[in-house]
Amino acid sequence: MDIEQIWFALVAFFFIGYFVLDGFDFGVGMALPLLGRDDTDRRVMINTIGPVWDLNETWVIVAGAVLFAAFPEWYASLFSGFYLPLLLILLALILRGVSFEYRHQRREPQWAARFDLMIIIGSFLPAFLWGVAFANIVRGVPMDADHQVSISLFGLLNPYGLLGGITLVLLCLVHGMIFIALKTEGDIRARARAMILRFMLPTIAVAASFLFWTVLMHTQVPHLTWIITLAGLAAASLIAAGLFSLRGREGFAFTAMALTIAAAVATLFVSLFPNVMPSTTTPAGTLTIVNASSSEYTLGVMLWVALITTPLVIGYQAWTYWVFRRRLSRDHIPAAAH
């Protein structure tokens, strides 16, 4: 494996980490109207991700920084061609973060309800648009020999892109509800378990359709076996997450759901390889891990930095999850908060 391939794997690793970790954040936000019967329920749900949501979002910052440093041509084409959806994702993430901090600053129900709505929108929109964006990267976009992408937001909303967006929304929603069941007790936990089972079959059907379509688009590539294996692993672990939820084993269900998202995102990256952004207009426009990468010297220096800092980031995050590992209930919401 040469150094460009190592960095392609690292970019995939950081995006997988982002979707696994921020994925359940998005799911908790989208589940607010489904599981929260009153403000106390919604406070319990938000508190389950309170200590970790901002830490989870650092993964997308690191992924973007790694993309910029290791594959500047890929970064430039992606951010210029997908400018509007990426801007909407950024605004939605800001909206969600602000809402977490401001919803409890006043005791009026309408005040909290407005910020809850922004949390729901700020959770749904990034999940949907990330799914649309990654589906279009795998599908390919109109790109000339100078790597200039020419596609509108509505052009990205093609059938395969829309299916990718819906798939990621459903995966994140189920992931979030499993996390709520894992982190709460009492009625909220019971409602989350019931809602997981209600959403599991539609999620399996939509995700399987998207992965099957992805496999069909890459039947001519030499590493098709890897694509099928990862897609099959994603499908099997999603079914396992449903079965564990049915038996009330939330810890195993959450692990299986994390594996589902990791395998699904890995399927997309392996489908891309050795390209990073295929062109649908001319083969000369296609970006590969070779023509999109930085120099070997730059990649070599950054590899040492990554080998030192990545374990520290993972260790700190694991410690944070351990500190805030206890379950929450309505009893943990102070009366003064009402």
Side-chain angles (χ1 to χ4, degrees):
M1 179 180 287
D2 56 38
I3 196 164
E4 289 89 355
Q5 293 173 342
I6 292 173
W7 273 103
F8 179 75
L10 283 173
V11 170
F13 170 76
F14 284 112
F15 272 107
I16 287 171
Y18 171 63
F19 287 119
V20 168
L21 294 174
D22 223 16
F24 69 77
D25 283 1
F26 294 149
V28 171
M30 288 187 281
L32 285 182
L34 300 174
L35 301 178
R37 290 181 176 173
D38 56 22
D39 183 62
T40 304
D41 280 351
R42 290 188 286 274
R43 287 183 70 100
V44 172
M45 294 165 64
I46 291 171
N47 284 358
T48 61
I49 58 173
V52 296
W53 71 268
D54 50 352
L55 197 58
N56 293 340
E57 286 190 354
T58 59
W59 282 74
V60 73
I61 298 172
V62 175
V66 166
L67 191 64
F68 172 75
F71 298 100
E73 282 288 329
W74 186 9
Y75 181 93
S77 298
L78 178 65
F79 276 77
S80 62
F82 290 61
Y83 177 79
L84 187 53
L86 292 176
L87 177 63
L88 290 174
I89 289 172
L90 177 62
L91 293 176
L93 292 178
I94 293 172
L95 194 71
R96 190 176 67 124
V98 168
S99 300
F100 285 144
E101 302 298 331
Y102 275 78
R103 74 175 302 280
H104 61 277
Q105 297 299 326
R106 291 185 183 178
R107 296 185 180 180
E108 293 90 343
Q110 290 184 341
W111 174 271
R114 292 192 187 102
F115 283 108
D116 286 347
L117 178 61
M118 288 193 281
I119 290 173
I120 296 165
I121 295 172
S123 300
F124 168 81
L125 204 57
F128 177 73
L129 290 177
W130 275 126
V132 170
F134 268 85
N136 277 280
I137 291 171
V138 172
R139 176 177 174 266
V141 291
M143 187 162 52
D144 61 24
D146 294 325
H147 307 142
Q148 298 296 317
V149 179
S150 54
I151 189 168
S152 66
L153 177 61
F154 292 106
L156 295 173
L157 299 178
N158 52 74
Y160 182 70
L162 286 171
L163 185 58
I166 295 170
T167 299
L168 191 55
V169 166
L170 287 174
L171 289 176
C172 290
L173 179 59
V174 173
H175 198 28
M177 290 193 290
I178 291 176
F179 185 74
I180 292 171
L182 176 67
K183 290 289 293 179
T184 61
E185 52 191 20
D187 289 342
I188 301 177
R189 181 189 178 198
R191 290 200 296 274
R193 289 178 59 186
M195 196 63 74
I196 291 165
L197 301 179
R198 190 175 299 175
F199 273 86
M200 188 54 76
L201 283 180
T203 303
I204 291 173
V206 172
S209 301
F210 177 70
L211 290 174
F212 184 65
W213 195 341
T214 303
V215 171
L216 284 182
M217 288 195 308
H218 297 86
T219 52
Q220 304 301 318
V221 300
H223 52 281
L224 177 63
T225 304
W226 279 102
I227 300 173
I228 294 175
T229 301
L230 287 168
L233 177 62
S237 52
L238 181 56
I239 294 171
L243 294 176
F244 283 129
S245 296
L246 187 63
R247 296 172 62 88
R249 306 295 297 271
E250 287 93 4
F252 288 109
F254 184 76
T255 303
M257 200 63 212
L259 181 60
T260 299
I261 294 177
V265 178
T267 301
L268 298 183
F269 274 93
V270 172
S271 298
L272 267 179
F273 183 85
N275 301 322
V276 294
M277 205 161 170
S279 169
T280 58
T281 50
T282 171
T286 293
L287 284 170
T288 69
I289 60 172
V290 175
N291 67 15
S293 69
S294 297
S295 67
E296 287 195 15
Y297 174 78
T298 301
L299 296 178
V301 171
M302 289 197 308
L303 187 59
W304 282 106
V305 176
L307 289 173
I308 295 171
T309 57
T310 303
L312 295 176
V313 172
I314 294 174
Y316 173 73
Q317 191 149 17
W319 177 76
T320 303
Y321 276 87
W322 175 254
V323 169
F324 295 99
R325 66 187 180 280
R326 70 172 183 170
R327 290 181 183 267
L328 300 174
S329 71
R330 294 172 65 94
D331 295 337
H332 292 101
I333 305 300
H338 299 286

